[in-house]
Amino acid sequence: MDFSAKQIAGAVAAALAILALAAGIIDWRHRKRSDLDRVSLIDWRNVQVFALIATIIAAAVAFQL
């Protein structure tokens, strides 16, 4: 199976968008937790921001191909 560069860039953009959505949901649940002593090892807000930036870049690359 040969995938074109546009298909690969589109798939990467979709995967990053899903990651950003998941990080947003996890961050929302983390902010609404009842036990404030339960902390997260990962800063999900930063993961969401970087995934959104990477999604925009990957989508721009996909549209240019």
Side-chain angles (χ1 to χ4, degrees):
M1 295 176 75
D2 292 332
F3 295 108
S4 69
K6 188 171 188 168
Q7 290 174 327
I8 293 172
V12 169
L16 287 168
I18 291 170
L19 174 65
L21 179 66
I25 292 170
I26 293 170
D27 182 51
W28 175 76
R29 290 187 65 203
H30 182 70
R31 284 186 285 123
K32 299 292 183 184
R33 69 190 185 278
S34 60
D35 184 10
L36 295 178
D37 289 334
R38 287 187 62 196
V39 295
S40 177
L41 295 176
I42 299 174
D43 185 10
W44 289 104
R45 188 166 296 157
N46 283 343
V47 172
Q48 181 183 16
V49 168
F50 290 131
L52 284 172
I53 292 169
T55 300
I56 292 168
I57 292 170
V61 168
F63 286 131
Q64 290 298 319
L65 293 177

